[in-house]
Amino acid sequence: SGDPGRMGMPIPELGFVRLRDAATGKVLGNYVQVDPQSMPPYPTFSPDGRRLVITENSRAMLYDAATGAAVATLDERDGDDQIGTALVSPDSRKVAVFVGRSGRVHFRSAEDGTLLARYKLGFPPEMGSFHAAFSPDGETFALRADASLHLIDTRTGRERVAPIALQRHTSGLTFTPDGTRLIVLHSSFGSPGAELLAVDVATGMIATRKPFRGQTGNPIFGPSPDGGQMFIGDWRGPIY
């Protein structure tokens, strides 16, 4: 939760997600109903803590995090398609919902669920090759699928630049705090050596490329508040 005092806890066998006090575990008394026959629900809070998005394989729902009241149905399964994950932009204004096996992304208002734009990749992303991130202002959405990186304008659903070819496995994406560059962690799973790519968001060009040594398995990483430094680590601790 954007409010560190709360957490969402899926209880699929009972068909709801319950909100609890993160410090004490006490039930706060509000919860949201989900389909108990679907895959386990995945709750995502907006950074400001006002909204809760819950995705299942049959639908994506937007809730008021304070009351548990449903705000809007963001998307529902159509035929054999399934609802994938959802991401909320850092400014808490937009939600990206992955819909269908064809790689569609719907950008919606986090306030009331209004559809703002659609993007269609045209094919389902391969398992293990799919990463995505919002820019700090929510205006650009980075999507790594197959062997390409896509920079999408969330206001129009159109790509800002031509897809950027990537030659290695991508372990993660994150924008610098000013949103001008996208940092891509390139690695080969289980092998030593990786590299950081800094992609200029306006042009799609790789501005810098920095190799480093170290096992990167399943890393976490992110820039410092001023964007001048980068932390990379995994379950063994910091590696860069």
Side-chain angles (χ1 to χ4, degrees), residues 16-39:
F16 60 82
V17 172
R18 175 172 285 165
L19 299 184
R20 291 182 179 270
D21 185 292
T24 66
K26 180 181 177 181
V27 176
L28 297 178
N30 45 8
Y31 61 89
V32 290
Q33 297 289 338
V34 299
D35 180 1
Q37 303 301 316
S38 75
M39 296 292 287

mmCIF file with all atom_site columns, all heavy atoms in Angstrom, residues 16-39:
data_model
loop_
_atom_site.group_PDB
_atom_site.id
_atom_site.type_symbol
_atom_site.label_atom_id
_atom_site.label_alt_id
_atom_site.label_comp_id
_atom_site.label_asym_id
_atom_site.label_entity_id
_atom_site.label_seq_id
_atom_site.pdbx_PDB_ins_code
_atom_site.Cartn_x
_atom_site.Cartn_y
_atom_site.Cartn_z
_atom_site.occupancy
_atom_site.B_iso_or_equiv
_atom_site.pdbx_formal_charge
_atom_site.auth_seq_id
_atom_site.auth_comp_id
_atom_site.auth_asym_id
_atom_site.auth_atom_id
_atom_site.pdbx_PDB_model_num
ATOM 1   N N   . PHE A 1 16 ? -12.386 -13.636 -1.117  1.00 0.00 ? 16 PHE A N   1
ATOM 2   C CA  . PHE A 1 16 ? -12.251 -12.207 -0.899  1.00 0.00 ? 16 PHE A CA  1
ATOM 3   C C   . PHE A 1 16 ? -10.804 -11.838 -0.620  1.00 0.00 ? 16 PHE A C   1
ATOM 4   O O   . PHE A 1 16 ? -9.958  -12.669 -0.342  1.00 0.00 ? 16 PHE A O   1
ATOM 5   C CB  . PHE A 1 16 ? -13.153 -11.710 0.241   1.00 0.00 ? 16 PHE A CB  1
ATOM 6   C CG  . PHE A 1 16 ? -12.890 -12.330 1.595   1.00 0.00 ? 16 PHE A CG  1
ATOM 7   C CD1 . PHE A 1 16 ? -11.876 -11.853 2.404   1.00 0.00 ? 16 PHE A CD1 1
ATOM 8   C CD2 . PHE A 1 16 ? -13.671 -13.367 2.049   1.00 0.00 ? 16 PHE A CD2 1
ATOM 9   C CE1 . PHE A 1 16 ? -11.647 -12.399 3.654   1.00 0.00 ? 16 PHE A CE1 1
ATOM 10  C CE2 . PHE A 1 16 ? -13.448 -13.920 3.295   1.00 0.00 ? 16 PHE A CE2 1
ATOM 11  C CZ  . PHE A 1 16 ? -12.433 -13.449 4.103   1.00 0.00 ? 16 PHE A CZ  1
ATOM 12  N N   . VAL A 1 17 ? -10.546 -10.538 -0.739  1.00 0.00 ? 17 VAL A N   1
ATOM 13  C CA  . VAL A 1 17 ? -9.262  -9.965  -0.333  1.00 0.00 ? 17 VAL A CA  1
ATOM 14  C C   . VAL A 1 17 ? -9.543  -9.096  0.883   1.00 0.00 ? 17 VAL A C   1
ATOM 15  O O   . VAL A 1 17 ? -10.394 -8.214  0.844   1.00 0.00 ? 17 VAL A O   1
ATOM 16  C CB  . VAL A 1 17 ? -8.636  -9.124  -1.456  1.00 0.00 ? 17 VAL A CB  1
ATOM 17  C CG1 . VAL A 1 17 ? -7.400  -8.382  -0.948  1.00 0.00 ? 17 VAL A CG1 1
ATOM 18  C CG2 . VAL A 1 17 ? -8.268  -10.014 -2.636  1.00 0.00 ? 17 VAL A CG2 1
ATOM 19  N N   . ARG A 1 18 ? -8.836  -9.348  1.955   1.00 0.00 ? 18 ARG A N   1
ATOM 20  C CA  . ARG A 1 18 ? -9.079  -8.631  3.206   1.00 0.00 ? 18 ARG A CA  1
ATOM 21  C C   . ARG A 1 18 ? -7.972  -7.616  3.442   1.00 0.00 ? 18 ARG A C   1
ATOM 22  O O   . ARG A 1 18 ? -6.807  -7.892  3.189   1.00 0.00 ? 18 ARG A O   1
ATOM 23  C CB  . ARG A 1 18 ? -9.135  -9.630  4.358   1.00 0.00 ? 18 ARG A CB  1
ATOM 24  C CG  . ARG A 1 18 ? -9.268  -9.007  5.727   1.00 0.00 ? 18 ARG A CG  1
ATOM 25  C CD  . ARG A 1 18 ? -9.501  -10.073 6.788   1.00 0.00 ? 18 ARG A CD  1
ATOM 26  N NE  . ARG A 1 18 ? -10.882 -10.572 6.723   1.00 0.00 ? 18 ARG A NE  1
ATOM 27  C CZ  . ARG A 1 18 ? -11.286 -11.692 7.330   1.00 0.00 ? 18 ARG A CZ  1
ATOM 28  N NH1 . ARG A 1 18 ? -10.427 -12.434 7.991   1.00 0.00 ? 18 ARG A NH1 1
ATOM 29  N NH2 . ARG A 1 18 ? -12.546 -12.051 7.244   1.00 0.00 ? 18 ARG A NH2 1
ATOM 30  N N   . LEU A 1 19 ? -8.329  -6.447  3.939   1.00 0.00 ? 19 LEU A N   1
ATOM 31  C CA  . LEU A 1 19 ? -7.357  -5.423  4.303   1.00 0.00 ? 19 LEU A CA  1
ATOM 32  C C   . LEU A 1 19 ? -7.011  -5.551  5.783   1.00 0.00 ? 19 LEU A C   1
ATOM 33  O O   . LEU A 1 19 ? -7.895  -5.674  6.625   1.00 0.00 ? 19 LEU A O   1
ATOM 34  C CB  . LEU A 1 19 ? -7.905  -4.024  4.019   1.00 0.00 ? 19 LEU A CB  1
ATOM 35  C CG  . LEU A 1 19 ? -8.252  -3.716  2.565   1.00 0.00 ? 19 LEU A CG  1
ATOM 36  C CD1 . LEU A 1 19 ? -8.679  -2.253  2.446   1.00 0.00 ? 19 LEU A CD1 1
ATOM 37  C CD2 . LEU A 1 19 ? -7.102  -4.010  1.652   1.00 0.00 ? 19 LEU A CD2 1
ATOM 38  N N   . ARG A 1 20 ? -5.703  -5.519  6.060   1.00 0.00 ? 20 ARG A N   1
ATOM 39  C CA  . ARG A 1 20 ? -5.238  -5.645  7.441   1.00 0.00 ? 20 ARG A CA  1
ATOM 40  C C   . ARG A 1 20 ? -4.268  -4.510  7.782   1.00 0.00 ? 20 ARG A C   1
ATOM 41  O O   . ARG A 1 20 ? -3.652  -3.930  6.903   1.00 0.00 ? 20 ARG A O   1
ATOM 42  C CB  . ARG A 1 20 ? -4.520  -6.981  7.650   1.00 0.00 ? 20 ARG A CB  1
ATOM 43  C CG  . ARG A 1 20 ? -5.425  -8.205  7.596   1.00 0.00 ? 20 ARG A CG  1
ATOM 44  C CD  . ARG A 1 20 ? -4.635  -9.470  7.851   1.00 0.00 ? 20 ARG A CD  1
ATOM 45  N NE  . ARG A 1 20 ? -5.473  -10.648 7.825   1.00 0.00 ? 20 ARG A NE  1
ATOM 46  C CZ  . ARG A 1 20 ? -6.089  -11.158 8.902   1.00 0.00 ? 20 ARG A CZ  1
ATOM 47  N NH1 . ARG A 1 20 ? -5.939  -10.545 10.078  1.00 0.00 ? 20 ARG A NH1 1
ATOM 48  N NH2 . ARG A 1 20 ? -6.834  -12.228 8.812   1.00 0.00 ? 20 ARG A NH2 1
ATOM 49  N N   . ASP A 1 21 ? -4.141  -4.246  9.080   1.00 0.00 ? 21 ASP A N   1
ATOM 50  C CA  . ASP A 1 21 ? -3.125  -3.345  9.575   1.00 0.00 ? 21 ASP A CA  1
ATOM 51  C C   . ASP A 1 21 ? -1.780  -4.040  9.431   1.00 0.00 ? 21 ASP A C   1
ATOM 52  O O   . ASP A 1 21 ? -1.582  -5.138  9.958   1.00 0.00 ? 21 ASP A O   1
ATOM 53  C CB  . ASP A 1 21 ? -3.403  -3.001  11.035  1.00 0.00 ? 21 ASP A CB  1
ATOM 54  C CG  . ASP A 1 21 ? -2.433  -1.963  11.583  1.00 0.00 ? 21 ASP A CG  1
ATOM 55  O OD1 . ASP A 1 21 ? -1.232  -2.279  11.721  1.00 0.00 ? 21 ASP A OD1 1
ATOM 56  O OD2 . ASP A 1 21 ? -2.888  -0.846  11.884  1.00 0.00 ? 21 ASP A OD2 1
ATOM 57  N N   . ALA A 1 22 ? -0.840  -3.416  8.707   1.00 0.00 ? 22 ALA A N   1
ATOM 58  C CA  . ALA A 1 22 ? 0.438   -4.063  8.422   1.00 0.00 ? 22 ALA A CA  1
ATOM 59  C C   . ALA A 1 22 ? 1.282   -4.259  9.675   1.00 0.00 ? 22 ALA A C   1
ATOM 60  O O   . ALA A 1 22 ? 2.126   -5.155  9.717   1.00 0.00 ? 22 ALA A O   1
ATOM 61  C CB  . ALA A 1 22 ? 1.225   -3.254  7.384   1.00 0.00 ? 22 ALA A CB  1
ATOM 62  N N   . ALA A 1 23 ? 1.086   -3.445  10.706  1.00 0.00 ? 23 ALA A N   1
ATOM 63  C CA  . ALA A 1 23 ? 1.892   -3.552  11.922  1.00 0.00 ? 23 ALA A CA  1
ATOM 64  C C   . ALA A 1 23 ? 1.355   -4.607  12.875  1.00 0.00 ? 23 ALA A C   1
ATOM 65  O O   . ALA A 1 23 ? 2.115   -5.364  13.481  1.00 0.00 ? 23 ALA A O   1
ATOM 66  C CB  . ALA A 1 23 ? 1.956   -2.199  12.624  1.00 0.00 ? 23 ALA A CB  1
ATOM 67  N N   . THR A 1 24 ? 0.030   -4.691  13.011  1.00 0.00 ? 24 THR A N   1
ATOM 68  C CA  . THR A 1 24 ? -0.564  -5.577  14.007  1.00 0.00 ? 24 THR A CA  1
ATOM 69  C C   . THR A 1 24 ? -1.250  -6.798  13.416  1.00 0.00 ? 24 THR A C   1
ATOM 70  O O   . THR A 1 24 ? -1.506  -7.773  14.130  1.00 0.00 ? 24 THR A O   1
ATOM 71  C CB  . THR A 1 24 ? -1.600  -4.813  14.841  1.00 0.00 ? 24 THR A CB  1
ATOM 72  O OG1 . THR A 1 24 ? -2.709  -4.439  13.993  1.00 0.00 ? 24 THR A OG1 1
ATOM 73  C CG2 . THR A 1 24 ? -0.988  -3.553  15.437  1.00 0.00 ? 24 THR A CG2 1
ATOM 74  N N   . GLY A 1 25 ? -1.565  -6.753  12.124  1.00 0.00 ? 25 GLY A N   1
ATOM 75  C CA  . GLY A 1 25 ? -2.311  -7.854  11.510  1.00 0.00 ? 25 GLY A CA  1
ATOM 76  C C   . GLY A 1 25 ? -3.801  -7.775  11.747  1.00 0.00 ? 25 GLY A C   1
ATOM 77  O O   . GLY A 1 25 ? -4.549  -8.637  11.286  1.00 0.00 ? 25 GLY A O   1
ATOM 78  N N   . LYS A 1 26 ? -4.247  -6.746  12.438  1.00 0.00 ? 26 LYS A N   1
ATOM 79  C CA  . LYS A 1 26 ? -5.668  -6.606  12.744  1.00 0.00 ? 26 LYS A CA  1
ATOM 80  C C   . LYS A 1 26 ? -6.479  -6.352  11.481  1.00 0.00 ? 26 LYS A C   1
ATOM 81  O O   . LYS A 1 26 ? -6.102  -5.562  10.627  1.00 0.00 ? 26 LYS A O   1
ATOM 82  C CB  . LYS A 1 26 ? -5.871  -5.435  13.708  1.00 0.00 ? 26 LYS A CB  1
ATOM 83  C CG  . LYS A 1 26 ? -7.328  -5.189  14.091  1.00 0.00 ? 26 LYS A CG  1
ATOM 84  C CD  . LYS A 1 26 ? -7.461  -3.993  15.022  1.00 0.00 ? 26 LYS A CD  1
ATOM 85  C CE  . LYS A 1 26 ? -8.912  -3.709  15.351  1.00 0.00 ? 26 LYS A CE  1
ATOM 86  N NZ  . LYS A 1 26 ? -9.047  -2.518  16.247  1.00 0.00 ? 26 LYS A NZ  1
ATOM 87  N N   . VAL A 1 27 ? -7.605  -7.050  11.367  1.00 0.00 ? 27 VAL A N   1
ATOM 88  C CA  . VAL A 1 27 ? -8.502  -6.842  10.234  1.00 0.00 ? 27 VAL A CA  1
ATOM 89  C C   . VAL A 1 27 ? -9.132  -5.460  10.359  1.00 0.00 ? 27 VAL A C   1
ATOM 90  O O   . VAL A 1 27 ? -9.660  -5.088  11.419  1.00 0.00 ? 27 VAL A O   1
ATOM 91  C CB  . VAL A 1 27 ? -9.603  -7.923  10.200  1.00 0.00 ? 27 VAL A CB  1
ATOM 92  C CG1 . VAL A 1 27 ? -10.594 -7.638  9.076   1.00 0.00 ? 27 VAL A CG1 1
ATOM 93  C CG2 . VAL A 1 27 ? -8.978  -9.296  10.022  1.00 0.00 ? 27 VAL A CG2 1
ATOM 94  N N   . LEU A 1 28 ? -9.070  -4.680  9.268   1.00 0.00 ? 28 LEU A N   1
ATOM 95  C CA  . LEU A 1 28 ? -9.595  -3.324  9.303   1.00 0.00 ? 28 LEU A CA  1
ATOM 96  C C   . LEU A 1 28 ? -11.095 -3.275  9.039   1.00 0.00 ? 28 LEU A C   1
ATOM 97  O O   . LEU A 1 28 ? -11.703 -2.211  9.093   1.00 0.00 ? 28 LEU A O   1
ATOM 98  C CB  . LEU A 1 28 ? -8.851  -2.445  8.293   1.00 0.00 ? 28 LEU A CB  1
ATOM 99  C CG  . LEU A 1 28 ? -7.344  -2.275  8.574   1.00 0.00 ? 28 LEU A CG  1
ATOM 100 C CD1 . LEU A 1 28 ? -6.693  -1.431  7.487   1.00 0.00 ? 28 LEU A CD1 1
ATOM 101 C CD2 . LEU A 1 28 ? -7.122  -1.661  9.941   1.00 0.00 ? 28 LEU A CD2 1
ATOM 102 N N   . GLY A 1 29 ? -11.662 -4.434  8.706   1.00 0.00 ? 29 GLY A N   1
ATOM 103 C CA  . GLY A 1 29 ? -13.113 -4.500  8.601   1.00 0.00 ? 29 GLY A CA  1
ATOM 104 C C   . GLY A 1 29 ? -13.673 -4.265  7.220   1.00 0.00 ? 29 GLY A C   1
ATOM 105 O O   . GLY A 1 29 ? -14.882 -4.186  7.051   1.00 0.00 ? 29 GLY A O   1
ATOM 106 N N   . ASN A 1 30 ? -12.813 -4.115  6.210   1.00 0.00 ? 30 ASN A N   1
ATOM 107 C CA  . ASN A 1 30 ? -13.329 -3.954  4.852   1.00 0.00 ? 30 ASN A CA  1
ATOM 108 C C   . ASN A 1 30 ? -12.642 -4.956  3.924   1.00 0.00 ? 30 ASN A C   1
ATOM 109 O O   . ASN A 1 30 ? -11.467 -5.252  4.077   1.00 0.00 ? 30 ASN A O   1
ATOM 110 C CB  . ASN A 1 30 ? -13.168 -2.530  4.331   1.00 0.00 ? 30 ASN A CB  1
ATOM 111 C CG  . ASN A 1 30 ? -11.797 -1.964  4.615   1.00 0.00 ? 30 ASN A CG  1
ATOM 112 O OD1 . ASN A 1 30 ? -10.907 -2.654  5.071   1.00 0.00 ? 30 ASN A OD1 1
ATOM 113 N ND2 . ASN A 1 30 ? -11.624 -0.694  4.336   1.00 0.00 ? 30 ASN A ND2 1
ATOM 114 N N   . TYR A 1 31 ? -13.376 -5.481  2.993   1.00 0.00 ? 31 TYR A N   1
ATOM 115 C CA  . TYR A 1 31 ? -12.833 -6.461  2.071   1.00 0.00 ? 31 TYR A CA  1
ATOM 116 C C   . TYR A 1 31 ? -13.600 -6.372  0.764   1.00 0.00 ? 31 TYR A C   1
ATOM 117 O O   . TYR A 1 31 ? -14.646 -5.730  0.686   1.00 0.00 ? 31 TYR A O   1
ATOM 118 C CB  . TYR A 1 31 ? -12.926 -7.881  2.649   1.00 0.00 ? 31 TYR A CB  1
ATOM 119 C CG  . TYR A 1 31 ? -14.339 -8.341  2.934   1.00 0.00 ? 31 TYR A CG  1
ATOM 120 C CD1 . TYR A 1 31 ? -15.092 -8.978  1.951   1.00 0.00 ? 31 TYR A CD1 1
ATOM 121 C CD2 . TYR A 1 31 ? -14.914 -8.128  4.180   1.00 0.00 ? 31 TYR A CD2 1
ATOM 122 C CE1 . TYR A 1 31 ? -16.382 -9.392  2.218   1.00 0.00 ? 31 TYR A CE1 1
ATOM 123 C CE2 . TYR A 1 31 ? -16.210 -8.547  4.443   1.00 0.00 ? 31 TYR A CE2 1
ATOM 124 C CZ  . TYR A 1 31 ? -16.934 -9.179  3.463   1.00 0.00 ? 31 TYR A CZ  1
ATOM 125 O OH  . TYR A 1 31 ? -18.216 -9.577  3.717   1.00 0.00 ? 31 TYR A OH  1
ATOM 126 N N   . VAL A 1 32 ? -13.089 -7.015  -0.256  1.00 0.00 ? 32 VAL A N   1
ATOM 127 C CA  . VAL A 1 32 ? -13.723 -6.982  -1.562  1.00 0.00 ? 32 VAL A CA  1
ATOM 128 C C   . VAL A 1 32 ? -13.946 -8.407  -2.038  1.00 0.00 ? 32 VAL A C   1
ATOM 129 O O   . VAL A 1 32 ? -13.111 -9.280  -1.833  1.00 0.00 ? 32 VAL A O   1
ATOM 130 C CB  . VAL A 1 32 ? -12.862 -6.197  -2.584  1.00 0.00 ? 32 VAL A CB  1
ATOM 131 C CG1 . VAL A 1 32 ? -12.881 -4.724  -2.250  1.00 0.00 ? 32 VAL A CG1 1
ATOM 132 C CG2 . VAL A 1 32 ? -11.439 -6.701  -2.597  1.00 0.00 ? 32 VAL A CG2 1
ATOM 133 N N   . GLN A 1 33 ? -15.084 -8.665  -2.632  1.00 0.00 ? 33 GLN A N   1
ATOM 134 C CA  . GLN A 1 33 ? -15.424 -9.991  -3.123  1.00 0.00 ? 33 GLN A CA  1
ATOM 135 C C   . GLN A 1 33 ? -14.724 -10.275 -4.450  1.00 0.00 ? 33 GLN A C   1
ATOM 136 O O   . GLN A 1 33 ? -14.602 -9.396  -5.299  1.00 0.00 ? 33 GLN A O   1
ATOM 137 C CB  . GLN A 1 33 ? -16.938 -10.097 -3.334  1.00 0.00 ? 33 GLN A CB  1
ATOM 138 C CG  . GLN A 1 33 ? -17.754 -9.933  -2.065  1.00 0.00 ? 33 GLN A CG  1
ATOM 139 C CD  . GLN A 1 33 ? -17.619 -11.126 -1.139  1.00 0.00 ? 33 GLN A CD  1
ATOM 140 O OE1 . GLN A 1 33 ? -17.279 -12.219 -1.568  1.00 0.00 ? 33 GLN A OE1 1
ATOM 141 N NE2 . GLN A 1 33 ? -17.888 -10.906 0.132   1.00 0.00 ? 33 GLN A NE2 1
ATOM 142 N N   . VAL A 1 34 ? -14.248 -11.503 -4.608  1.00 0.00 ? 34 VAL A N   1
ATOM 143 C CA  . VAL A 1 34 ? -13.679 -11.939 -5.870  1.00 0.00 ? 34 VAL A CA  1
ATOM 144 C C   . VAL A 1 34 ? -14.293 -13.283 -6.219  1.00 0.00 ? 34 VAL A C   1
ATOM 145 O O   . VAL A 1 34 ? -15.004 -13.886 -5.424  1.00 0.00 ? 34 VAL A O   1
ATOM 146 C CB  . VAL A 1 34 ? -12.135 -12.063 -5.795  1.00 0.00 ? 34 VAL A CB  1
ATOM 147 C CG1 . VAL A 1 34 ? -11.493 -10.730 -5.475  1.00 0.00 ? 34 VAL A CG1 1
ATOM 148 C CG2 . VAL A 1 34 ? -11.727 -13.106 -4.760  1.00 0.00 ? 34 VAL A CG2 1
ATOM 149 N N   . ASP A 1 35 ? -14.029 -13.755 -7.413  1.00 0.00 ? 35 ASP A N   1
ATOM 150 C CA  . ASP A 1 35 ? -14.562 -15.033 -7.874  1.00 0.00 ? 35 ASP A CA  1
ATOM 151 C C   . ASP A 1 35 ? -13.728 -16.170 -7.282  1.00 0.00 ? 35 ASP A C   1
ATOM 152 O O   . ASP A 1 35 ? -12.568 -16.352 -7.645  1.00 0.00 ? 35 ASP A O   1
ATOM 153 C CB  . ASP A 1 35 ? -14.509 -15.078 -9.406  1.00 0.00 ? 35 ASP A CB  1
ATOM 154 C CG  . ASP A 1 35 ? -15.046 -16.386 -9.966  1.00 0.00 ? 35 ASP A CG  1
ATOM 155 O OD1 . ASP A 1 35 ? -15.475 -17.252 -9.173  1.00 0.00 ? 35 ASP A OD1 1
ATOM 156 O OD2 . ASP A 1 35 ? -15.020 -16.548 -11.196 1.00 0.00 ? 35 ASP A OD2 1
ATOM 157 N N   . PRO A 1 36 ? -14.274 -16.989 -6.378  1.00 0.00 ? 36 PRO A N   1
ATOM 158 C CA  . PRO A 1 36 ? -13.473 -18.048 -5.748  1.00 0.00 ? 36 PRO A CA  1
ATOM 159 C C   . PRO A 1 36 ? -13.083 -19.161 -6.700  1.00 0.00 ? 36 PRO A C   1
ATOM 160 O O   . PRO A 1 36 ? -12.222 -19.977 -6.385  1.00 0.00 ? 36 PRO A O   1
ATOM 161 C CB  . PRO A 1 36 ? -14.394 -18.556 -4.631  1.00 0.00 ? 36 PRO A CB  1
ATOM 162 C CG  . PRO A 1 36 ? -15.768 -18.227 -5.094  1.00 0.00 ? 36 PRO A CG  1
ATOM 163 C CD  . PRO A 1 36 ? -15.639 -16.931 -5.858  1.00 0.00 ? 36 PRO A CD  1
ATOM 164 N N   . GLN A 1 37 ? -13.690 -19.196 -7.899  1.00 0.00 ? 37 GLN A N   1
ATOM 165 C CA  . GLN A 1 37 ? -13.360 -20.230 -8.871  1.00 0.00 ? 37 GLN A CA  1
ATOM 166 C C   . GLN A 1 37 ? -12.201 -19.837 -9.779  1.00 0.00 ? 37 GLN A C   1
ATOM 167 O O   . GLN A 1 37 ? -11.715 -20.655 -10.562 1.00 0.00 ? 37 GLN A O   1
ATOM 168 C CB  . GLN A 1 37 ? -14.593 -20.540 -9.744  1.00 0.00 ? 37 GLN A CB  1
ATOM 169 C CG  . GLN A 1 37 ? -15.820 -20.960 -8.957  1.00 0.00 ? 37 GLN A CG  1
ATOM 170 C CD  . GLN A 1 37 ? -15.575 -22.200 -8.117  1.00 0.00 ? 37 GLN A CD  1
ATOM 171 O OE1 . GLN A 1 37 ? -14.971 -23.164 -8.579  1.00 0.00 ? 37 GLN A OE1 1
ATOM 172 N NE2 . GLN A 1 37 ? -16.032 -22.168 -6.868  1.00 0.00 ? 37 GLN A NE2 1
ATOM 173 N N   . SER A 1 38 ? -11.766 -18.599 -9.696  1.00 0.00 ? 38 SER A N   1
ATOM 174 C CA  . SER A 1 38 ? -10.709 -18.123 -10.581 1.00 0.00 ? 38 SER A CA  1
ATOM 175 C C   . SER A 1 38 ? -9.341  -18.381 -9.960  1.00 0.00 ? 38 SER A C   1
ATOM 176 O O   . SER A 1 38 ? -9.214  -18.898 -8.852  1.00 0.00 ? 38 SER A O   1
ATOM 177 C CB  . SER A 1 38 ? -10.875 -16.631 -10.861 1.00 0.00 ? 38 SER A CB  1
ATOM 178 O OG  . SER A 1 38 ? -10.483 -15.882 -9.729  1.00 0.00 ? 38 SER A OG  1
ATOM 179 N N   . MET A 1 39 ? -8.297  -17.986 -10.694 1.00 0.00 ? 39 MET A N   1
ATOM 180 C CA  . MET A 1 39 ? -6.951  -18.064 -10.149 1.00 0.00 ? 39 MET A CA  1
ATOM 181 C C   . MET A 1 39 ? -6.857  -17.135 -8.938  1.00 0.00 ? 39 MET A C   1
ATOM 182 O O   . MET A 1 39 ? -7.640  -16.210 -8.790  1.00 0.00 ? 39 MET A O   1
ATOM 183 C CB  . MET A 1 39 ? -5.942  -17.629 -11.218 1.00 0.00 ? 39 MET A CB  1
ATOM 184 C CG  . MET A 1 39 ? -5.897  -18.545 -12.433 1.00 0.00 ? 39 MET A CG  1
ATOM 185 S SD  . MET A 1 39 ? -5.219  -20.162 -12.041 1.00 0.00 ? 39 MET A SD  1
ATOM 186 C CE  . MET A 1 39 ? -3.486  -19.740 -11.856 1.00 0.00 ? 39 MET A CE  1
#
